[in-house]
Amino acid sequence: MTEALPTVWFVLIALLWAGYLFLEGFDLGVGMLMKLMARSDTQRRVLLNTVGPVWDGNEVWLVTAVGATFAAFPLWYASLLSALYLPFMLVLLGLIFRAVAFEWRGKRDSDAWRNRWDWAIALGSFTAAAGIGAALALTTTGLPLDANGDRVGGAFAWATPPALLGAVAVVLFCLVHAAAFVALKTEGGVRRQADRLFRRLLPVAMIPFVGWALLVQADDGTVVTWSAVVLGVVAFLASYRSAATGRDGRAFAALGIGMLVLVGSIFGAAFPVVLPSTIDTAFDLTVENASSSPYTLGLMSIVACIGLPLVLAYQAWTYWVFRRRVSEESIPAAHAVHAL
């Protein structure tokens, strides 16, 4: 049983990243849509209200994925985060500016004030999505690592075509995922705008994501992982068809399923390697040589069996409570609030 724990935790970490892309994906996309789609302050407030109750809970998945990597695969964590120190710092700054902007945007009745924070939300969301996409692409395609797991090269040795592909793939996925989510969660003009954007963007937006999956399959793909890529493409086609017939819920679900299946195909093809070395395959980090001790993994498994269902139940309850659609008519006029 203990021999299987590294594999179990690799699968769990892959699921955590997939869950993060599914949940945080649409609210990072909503942040970018603040400047790309919304045409008035009221529309921007509608967008903010669609993710207002859930955005901070969605970010827990990022913390959990990174924390689980640190505990279960310390060498994977050390090599990946030290090699990608600069992009991860940019991700953190983007998330910080974005969180502050969510809280401060409405603190003053001023168009200039709101515009500055709207840009902070949009650019912070873009930076976080691009950085996470680059990191996930590199952990499945490789970094220049030596025998000690240290990066070879300068601070930008990570800036490679696969990193750019991953960044573009996740940014575009977040945008189209957000369009599907907004169409599902709003009414009126905002919903129509989101629906049009979704149908125009989906055929183009999924090309980089599929390209990333194919890049990994080309080296290590199996019949199962290749089949998963095909299933992901079918899910994207089903999502487009559902949107064209006005079935917002099915469109959103099919798009999410397509992404989850593609992420599964990527991590499945990479297994058992958790971080390839582009210098020499002998320097690859695998589930065996990068994992913690069996005792640590066993203790983590007990904690996960207790804590993970609670987190999932709480998030499901939150989404159920705030399931209603938002419209421009439900947004009150902006006004100054004077302290007593």
Side-chain angles (χ1 to χ4, degrees):
M1 178 63 182
T2 57
E3 292 79 7
L5 285 177
T7 299
V8 170
W9 273 96
F10 174 81
V11 172
L12 181 57
I13 289 171
L15 289 173
L16 288 171
W17 280 117
Y20 175 74
L21 290 178
F22 186 91
L23 295 173
E24 184 79 342
F26 65 74
D27 74 47
L28 289 176
V30 167
M32 289 184 272
L33 292 181
M34 292 281 288
K35 282 298 181 183
L36 293 177
M37 190 187 79
R39 295 292 178 263
S40 66
D41 180 61
T42 302
Q43 290 188 349
R44 293 186 184 98
R45 291 171 66 192
V46 169
L47 294 181
L48 286 176
N49 275 269
T50 62
V51 297
V54 298
W55 69 268
D56 46 356
N58 293 342
E59 289 185 355
V60 171
W61 286 75
L62 174 62
V63 177
T64 307
V66 175
T69 304
F70 169 74
F73 299 98
L75 295 182
W76 181 11
Y77 173 91
S79 296
L80 182 64
L81 269 74
S82 60
L84 302 180
Y85 185 84
L86 181 58
F88 270 112
M89 283 299 298
L90 293 175
V91 167
L92 288 176
L93 288 174
L95 292 175
I96 290 169
F97 273 98
R98 183 171 176 270
V100 172
F102 274 130
E103 300 296 335
W104 286 16
R105 183 186 185 275
K107 300 303 183 184
R108 182 183 298 176
D109 186 14
S110 165
D111 290 338
W113 171 270
R114 286 189 289 267
N115 185 58
R116 285 194 291 269
W117 291 117
D118 288 343
W119 276 111
I121 293 172
L123 295 177
S125 299
F126 170 80
T127 302
I132 293 297
L136 290 179
L138 289 171
T139 201
T140 53
T141 58
L143 283 164
L145 303 178
D146 62 17
N148 295 320
D150 298 326
R151 183 193 65 212
V152 176
F156 293 94
W158 56 270
T160 60
L164 178 62
L165 177 64
V168 173
V170 172
V171 167
L172 289 180
F173 169 74
C174 288
L175 284 172
V176 75
H177 198 39
F181 179 75
V182 172
L184 176 65
K185 286 287 294 178
T186 62
E187 296 177 335
V190 175
R191 179 190 174 278
R192 289 190 293 272
Q193 286 178 258
D195 181 62
R196 285 195 300 268
L197 178 64
F198 175 79
R199 286 184 281 123
R200 290 174 181 174
L201 191 59
L202 178 61
V204 177
M206 290 300 99
I207 292 175
F209 217 120
V210 174
W212 172 20
L214 293 176
L215 180 64
V216 179
Q217 305 306 316
D219 291 331
D220 304 295
T222 65
V223 173
V224 173
T225 58
W226 275 105
S227 300
V229 174
V230 174
L231 182 60
V233 173
V234 171
F236 293 148
L237 294 174
S239 178
Y240 184 88
R241 175 62 179 171
S242 296
T245 55
R247 297 172 177 175
D248 302 327
R250 292 187 182 182
F252 178 76
L255 178 65
I257 290 171
M259 181 277 297
L260 294 174
V261 172
L262 282 185
V263 170
S265 76
I266 291 168
F267 278 95
F271 179 82
V273 177
V274 296
L275 185 56
S277 170
T278 57
I279 296 176
D280 190 330
T281 55
F283 304 154
D284 289 350
L285 297 180
T286 68
V287 294
E288 293 299 331
N289 64 26
S291 66
S292 294
S293 67
Y295 175 80
T296 300
L297 295 178
L299 184 60
M300 289 174 58
S301 299
I302 296 173
V303 174
C305 288
I306 298 172
L308 193 57
L310 294 176
V311 172
L312 292 174
Y314 173 75
Q315 281 209 289
W317 177 79
T318 303
Y319 278 93
W320 175 256
V321 169
F322 295 100
R323 66 189 181 277
R324 301 292 184 185
R325 291 179 182 260
V326 184
S327 67
E328 293 181 62
E329 290 72 22
S330 63
I331 303 297
H335 59 281
V337 178
H338 301 286
L340 297 176

